[in-house]
């Protein structure tokens, strides 16, 4: 061993006490593993590992990138097919009305919602590793897409009137052209161009995060933060759909406080409410809400949830068509939905600078929800998923469909729960859902011509029940963690009242601030000894704990770094009851008083001598043991703080010992030259440090291993 290694060895060795009762204890010696300093050799080794190519490695790479090639050949028809077909059919039936409804939320025509659900189901079938999640349209992402689409439409010079795509053959409304680019396409065409371009960029971000393995970004989106964000965004979604329920024609608000502005506009124009749309909305709510609650309450007894949404859509479409609600009462309807597929079209590269920043939040929310749901259901059913492959999967679910007039997708909890509860075993279920939507696209879609938009708005609002019910969980959340509850409330309010994007950013910043504050003002407690054991626990937490005479044991439950170094020192001084600086100052003052009273003593002034003797009292303890089990790391400020504490207490005759330091902390102390060679300052357990201190007090010294 080198001289430096010997120093580390001596500093962090265990102590052996000279007392005879310790002689039977064996010497314990830990020699640190020597780390290779040859960076070049390490880099060459890693490059060879990553860049080498063999047939087996190539096959594994292809199979990991296309998981369907691995599990589909082993598919058990007898065990899995029936459950997959049933769940796929049911989810497909549910997807049809929701795809049409969420298209309005994203500022798109109904046909584009069907395109999105179809392509997402097929592509995730090929790339995904989760057997249960349902990937498709998600309300919060639709809202975020719709806000950007509306903003870009406004910038491009389109008015607020809805214009159908030319291929819809709808000539009842006036054309509104892009006033800045001479009729490149109508409003509907430009809206899907914006949505598809942003979807493409979001997909690129997600694939890049998978390639560079930066999925750690999602750790900053805690469960409470995501839940608060989704609930706040649900309020914004509800606000955006109210105008359809009332049949009002108001522009979509933009920017900060858009929800508040929308409600102001609603109340300003509420006298223009379309009674036909209002009555239809109330009837749909009266049917959908109780039926959804029954589905939820009796889901264990029902083999499949009642497809009430599809039933409502069919009945409402028939009533609107035969009752001629548009012609008679001016109700707003979906209009012609074409069959088949539009030709592929690349994203508008000129729009990328305008939507690139907006796509960041959409990409992060999309993959965070997808990965969290994948891992949740994988854990529940006893299999594993690959987070990086999930990012590839959701990225390609956005990149490829963006060329086919689609907008952003992710996993959706409500549909995933339905999928799981109806017997889903593999992603063959997703393939079946895609085929159901394909049937609608090729044959059935035009039949929804007369469907009122207020019905679609009701479907969207009813599907927000799960997010809005989170308010019922607040009392329980408050009991579990007050900090998480505050994070939830701040994120929810910011997302609902300011904007969804800023709400997410505010939530992340506030969450990180809470973490910083919790480490800046952590807990610090004195420990007591559990009799007849080597265990030490906080004195305020347990009864009947004993204290060792002359020894104070202090535990600090956070890293020691620049932000909390003063808190560490003040808490240590408070808990031990001795501030070494004050004590040293008092002793120096006492010494001066002793010198000044020599003359008085010679003159017979006994009162002065008595006062001096009263001040000079011995301290109650001779050793402080700092339990570092909760100290994850030290920075330079933390090392310097420990040096100062050791030096300051040493000047008043109190030794400071460290116990239970992890390897990172020990390494930092060694590099920071915390102690001199041959000094004993750190132990592997609190009990060893205490026994060493007691022995040192009795024998005035102990031998160190």
């Amino acid at each position: 061993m080198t001289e430096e290694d010997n120093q580390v060895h001596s500093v962090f060795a265990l102590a052996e006490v000279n007392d005879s009762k310790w002689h039977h204890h064996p010497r314990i010696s830990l020699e640190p593993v020597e780390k290779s300093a040859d960076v070049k050799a390490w880099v060459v080794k890693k490059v060879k590992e990553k860049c080498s190519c063999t047939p087996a490695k190539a096959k594994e790479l292809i199979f990991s990138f296309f998981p369907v090639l691995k599990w589909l050949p082993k598919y058990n028809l007898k065990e899995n097919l029936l459950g997959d077909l049933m769940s796929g059919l049911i989810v497909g039936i549910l997807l049809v009305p929701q795809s049409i409804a969420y298209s309005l939320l994203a500022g798109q025509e109904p046909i584009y919602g069907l395109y999105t659900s179809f392509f997402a189901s097929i592509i995730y079938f090929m790339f995904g590793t989760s057997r249960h999640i349902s990937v498709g349209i998600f309300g919060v992402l639709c809202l975020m897409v719709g806000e950007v689409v509306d903003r870009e439409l406004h910038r491009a010079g389109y008015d607020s009137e809805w214009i159908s795509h030319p291929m819809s053959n709808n000539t009842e409304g006036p054309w509104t052209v892009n006033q800045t680019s001479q009729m490149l396409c109508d409003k509907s065409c430009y809206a899907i161009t914006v949505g598809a371009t942003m979807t493409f960029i979001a997909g690129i971000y997600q694939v890049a995060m998978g390639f560079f393995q930066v999925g750690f970004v999602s750790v900053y989106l805690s469960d409470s933060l995501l839940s608060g964000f989704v609930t706040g965004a649900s309020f914004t979604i509800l606000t955006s759909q109210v105008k359809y329920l009332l049949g009002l024609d108001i522009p979509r608000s933009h920017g900060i406080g858009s929800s508040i502005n929308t409600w102001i506009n609603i109340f300003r124009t509420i006298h223009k409410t379309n009674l036909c749309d209002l009555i239809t909305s109330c009837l749909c709510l009266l049917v959908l809400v109780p039926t959804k609650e029954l589905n939820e309450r009796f889901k264990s007894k029902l083999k499949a949830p009642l497809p009430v949404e599809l039933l409502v859509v069919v009945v409402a479409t028939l009533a609107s068509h035969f009752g001629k609600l548009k012609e008679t009462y001016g109700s707003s309807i979906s209009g012609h939905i074409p069959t088949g597929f539009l030709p592929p079209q690349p994203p508008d590269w000129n729009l990328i600078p305008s939507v690139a920043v907006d796509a960041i939040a959409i990409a992060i929310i999309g993959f965070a929800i997808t990965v969290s749901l994948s891992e949740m259901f994988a854990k529940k059913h006893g299999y594993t998923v690959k987070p990086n492959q999930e990012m590839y999967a959701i990225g390609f679910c956005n990149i490829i469909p963006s060329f086919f007039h689609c907008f952003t997708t992710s996993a959706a909890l409500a549909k995933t729960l339905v999928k799981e509860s109806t017997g889903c075993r593999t992603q063959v279920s997703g393939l079946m859902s895609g085929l159901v939507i394909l049937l609608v696209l090729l044959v059935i879609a035009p039949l929804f011509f007369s469907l009122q938009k207020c019905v679609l708005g009701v479907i969207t609002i009813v599907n927000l029940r799960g997010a809005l019910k989170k308010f019922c969980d607040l009392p329980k959340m408050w009991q579990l963690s007050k900090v998480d509850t505050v994070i939830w409330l701040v994120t929810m309010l910011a997302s609902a009242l300011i904007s969804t994007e800023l709400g997410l950013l505010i939530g992340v910043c506030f969450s990180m601030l809470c973490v910083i504050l919790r480490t800046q003002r952590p807990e610090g407690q004195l420990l007591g000894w559990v009799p007849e054991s080597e265990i030490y626990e906080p004195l305020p937490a347990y009864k009947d704990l004993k204290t060792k005479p002359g020894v104070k044991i202090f535990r600090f439950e956070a890293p020691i770094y620049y932000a909390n170094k003063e808190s560490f020192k003040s808490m240590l001084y408070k808990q031990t009851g001795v501030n070494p600086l004050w004590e040293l100052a008092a002793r120096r003052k006492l010494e001066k008083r002793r010198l000044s009273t020599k003359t008085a003593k010679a003159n017979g002034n006994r009162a002065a001598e008595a006062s001096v003797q009263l001040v000079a009292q011995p301290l109650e303890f001779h050793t402080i043991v700092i339990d570092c089990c909760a100290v994850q790391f030290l920075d330079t400020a933390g090392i310097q703080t420990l040096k100062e504490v050791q030096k300051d207490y040493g000047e008043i005759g109190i030794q400071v010992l460290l116990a239970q330091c992890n390897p990172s902390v020990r390494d930092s102390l060694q590099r920071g030259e915390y102690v001199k060679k041959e000094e004993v300052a750190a132990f592997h357990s609190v009990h060893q440090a205490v026994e060493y201190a007691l022995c040192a007090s009795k024998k005035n010294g102990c031998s160190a291993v």
Side-chain angles (χ1 to χ4, degrees):
M1 293 177 65
T2 64
E3 181 179 351
E4 184 181 12
D5 292 333
N6 283 323
Q7 181 179 352
V8 179
H9 177 64
S10 63
V11 169
F12 300 109
L14 307 184
E16 181 186 40
V17 186
N18 287 333
D19 195 286
S20 59
K21 69 177 182 178
W22 295 98
H23 284 171
H24 66 278
H25 281 260
R27 285 172 170 264
I28 300 175
S29 179
L30 297 178
E31 182 176 349
V33 176
E34 294 184 6
K35 297 181 180 180
S36 174
D38 192 350
V39 178
K40 180 180 178 180
W42 181 83
V43 171
V44 170
K45 180 182 176 182
K46 290 295 181 181
V47 169
K48 286 182 178 179
E49 289 178 358
K50 297 295 183 181
C51 297
S52 61
C53 183
T54 62
K57 184 171 285 190
K59 180 181 178 182
E60 179 63 27
L61 180 63
I62 294 173
F63 275 41
S64 63
F65 195 70
F66 296 96
V68 66
L69 299 178
K70 185 179 291 185
W71 64 263
L72 190 58
K74 303 176 184 178
Y75 187 78
N76 191 319
L77 291 173
K78 185 176 180 181
E79 291 185 4
N80 300 333
L81 185 62
L82 182 60
D84 283 340
L85 291 179
M86 283 296 297
S87 64
L89 179 64
I90 292 167
V91 172
I93 291 172
L94 295 176
L95 274 174
V96 172
Q98 289 185 16
S99 299
I100 297 173
Y102 285 150
S103 297
L104 296 181
L105 191 58
Q108 309 295 340
E109 284 192 358
I111 187 66
Y112 300 132
L114 294 171
Y115 287 163
T116 301
S117 294
F118 168 74
F119 281 106
S121 300
I122 301 300
I123 294 171
Y124 189 82
F125 165 77
M126 294 186 290
F127 290 98
T129 59
S130 173
R131 303 174 191 172
H132 293 88
I133 67 169
S134 175
V135 175
I137 292 179
F138 181 50
V140 174
L141 294 185
C142 289
L143 172 68
M144 297 173 76
V145 170
E147 290 176 342
V148 177
V149 167
D150 241 30
R151 184 194 69 203
E152 293 303 316
L153 287 174
H154 182 72
R155 286 180 179 176
Y158 292 97
D159 63 16
S160 61
E161 296 295 327
W162 181 266
I163 303 297
S164 296
H165 194 277
M167 74 172 293
S168 68
N169 298 322
N170 183 3
T171 59
E172 296 178 4
W175 274 64
T176 302
V177 297
N178 186 338
Q179 298 172 357
T180 64
S181 55
Q182 299 183 353
M183 297 183 62
L184 292 177
C185 64
D186 71 336
K187 183 180 177 181
S188 171
C189 168
Y190 194 72
I192 191 56
T193 301
V194 173
T197 302
M198 186 164 55
T199 298
F200 174 79
I201 297 301
I204 292 293
Y205 289 154
Q206 290 165 336
V207 170
M209 285 188 282
F211 181 78
F212 292 107
Q213 299 186 2
V214 292
F216 67 87
V217 175
S218 63
V219 303
Y220 296 104
L221 304 177
S222 63
D223 291 341
S224 57
L225 188 149
L226 276 177
S227 176
F229 171 74
V230 171
T231 303
S234 297
F235 273 108
T236 307
I237 293 172
L238 186 149
T239 299
S240 68
Q241 299 301 296
V242 169
K243 65 178 182 180
Y244 296 115
L245 272 63
L246 301 177
L248 298 176
D249 184 15
I250 58 176
R252 192 167 186 166
S253 299
H254 306 276
I256 297 175
S258 57
S259 295
I260 298 174
N261 292 332
T262 300
W263 281 108
I264 292 173
N265 290 332
I266 288 172
F267 285 110
R268 281 178 178 172
T269 59
I270 199 168
H271 60 282
K272 299 180 181 179
T273 297
N274 187 304
L275 290 179
C276 179
D277 285 343
L278 178 61
I279 293 171
T280 303
S281 301
C282 292
L283 292 175
C284 291
L285 284 170
L286 289 174
V287 173
L288 284 172
V289 173
T291 311
K292 286 278 189 177
E293 291 296 327
L294 289 174
N295 275 338
E296 183 68 23
R297 179 168 296 184
F298 298 104
K299 62 181 179 182
S300 59
K301 298 181 180 179
L302 294 172
K303 293 184 177 180
L306 301 175
V308 63
E309 290 173 337
L310 185 64
L311 179 63
V312 166
V313 166
V314 171
V315 172
T317 302
L318 293 174
S320 176
H321 176 73
F322 290 105
K324 297 183 178 181
L325 300 183
K326 176 176 175 57
E327 294 80 0
T328 308
Y329 302 103
S331 292
S332 179
I333 62 174
S334 298
H336 179 68
I337 304 176
T339 57
F341 293 90
L342 296 175
Q345 178 180 337
D348 188 342
W349 311 116
N350 295 324
L351 279 172
I352 290 177
S354 301
V355 301
V357 175
D358 302 286
I360 295 175
I362 291 176
I364 292 175
I365 290 295
F367 93 75
I369 291 174
T370 301
V371 171
S372 61
L373 286 179
S374 299
E375 292 180 340
M376 181 176 73
F377 283 92
K379 183 178 180 180
K380 181 177 180 180
H381 292 276
Y383 63 93
T384 59
V385 295
K386 299 178 180 178
N388 280 323
Q389 181 60 29
E390 286 298 297
M391 283 192 279
Y392 283 133
I394 198 64
F396 286 118
C397 282
N398 286 321
I399 292 175
I400 299 174
S402 68
F403 289 85
F404 296 90
H405 309 85
C406 300
F407 47 91
T408 314
T409 59
S410 75
L413 177 60
K415 292 185 281 291
T416 300
L417 290 172
V418 171
K419 192 174 181 179
E420 180 208 26
S421 65
T422 51
C424 171
R425 299 294 184 90
T426 68
Q427 280 301 326
V428 170
S429 170
L431 181 63
M432 183 63 188
S433 299
L435 294 177
V436 172
I437 298 173
L438 179 63
L439 177 65
V440 174
L441 282 169
L442 296 179
V443 180
I444 305 174
L447 299 179
F448 296 114
F449 176 88
S450 299
L451 178 61
Q452 292 169 271
K453 288 184 179 179
C454 63
V455 177
L456 301 177
V458 169
I459 292 173
T460 300
I461 290 175
V462 170
N463 281 296
L464 301 176
R465 290 163 41 258
L468 298 178
K469 281 183 177 180
K470 293 293 182 181
F471 283 99
C472 300
D473 298 334
L474 282 182
K476 184 177 180 181
M477 189 188 300
W478 181 261
Q479 291 179 349
L480 292 175
S481 174
K482 294 179 175 59
V483 174
D484 283 348
T485 307
V486 174
I487 292 173
W488 189 93
L489 288 170
V490 169
T491 309
M492 185 274 297
L493 292 172
S495 301
L497 301 179
I498 301 176
S499 72
T500 49
E501 294 87 352
L502 285 177
L504 178 63
L505 180 61
I506 290 171
V508 171
C509 294
F510 184 77
S511 179
M512 295 177 69
L513 179 63
C514 289
V515 173
I516 293 172
L517 291 176
R518 291 169 81 174
T519 58
Q520 193 173 355
R521 302 293 298 176
E523 293 289 331
Q525 298 171 324
L526 290 181
L527 305 185
W529 171 56
V530 179
E532 299 182 1
S533 74
E534 297 183 0
I535 300 173
Y536 293 80
E537 294 293 343
L539 286 170
Y542 301 98
K543 299 179 180 179
D544 301 325
L545 295 179
K546 306 296 182 181
T547 57
K548 295 287 187 176
V551 180
K552 296 279 188 179
I553 308 166
F554 175 72
R555 177 183 291 166
F556 190 69
E557 300 180 351
I560 304 175
Y561 67 114
Y562 69 94
N564 67 2
K565 62 178 183 177
E566 295 301 326
S567 296
F568 167 76
K569 292 171 71 173
S570 62
M571 201 172 297
L572 176 63
Y573 299 161
K574 180 180 178 181
Q575 293 290 342
T576 58
V578 175
N579 185 322
L581 301 178
W582 294 355
E583 179 68 21
L584 186 60
R587 291 185 180 186
R588 288 173 178 171
K589 185 177 180 181
L590 174 62
E591 187 65 26
K592 289 181 180 179
R593 290 182 62 183
R594 282 175 175 170
L595 293 174
S596 64
T597 55
K598 284 183 178 181
T599 304
K601 182 179 178 182
N603 296 331
N605 190 341
R606 300 295 180 182
E609 181 181 0
S611 65
V612 172
Q613 291 174 349
L614 289 174
V615 173
Q617 295 182 355
L619 297 173
E620 297 180 356
F621 58 95
H622 52 75
T623 302
I624 296 175
V625 177
I626 300 177
D627 182 3
C628 299
C629 65
V631 179
Q632 296 96 335
F633 65 87
L634 298 172
D635 66 356
T636 53
I639 297 171
Q640 186 62 33
T641 299
L642 288 176
K643 284 184 177 181
E644 292 174 2
V645 166
Q646 185 190 47
K647 176 179 175 292
D648 293 342
Y649 275 111
E651 289 180 348
I652 61 173
I654 297 176
Q655 67 173 339
V656 176
L657 304 178
L658 306 181
Q660 300 196 101
C661 301
N662 64 45
S664 172
V665 172
R666 292 199 295 268
D667 185 57
S668 297
L669 291 173
Q670 183 269 323
R671 286 186 282 106
E673 299 179 352
Y674 173 67
V675 292
K676 297 179 181 179
K677 188 177 178 181
E678 303 303 335
E679 288 186 2
V680 177
F683 296 80
H684 287 279
S685 73
V686 172
H687 189 70
Q688 289 171 339
V690 171
E691 293 300 321
Y692 175 83
L694 294 175
C695 177
S697 175
K698 292 177 181 178
K699 297 289 186 177
N700 195 23
C702 294
S703 63
V705 180

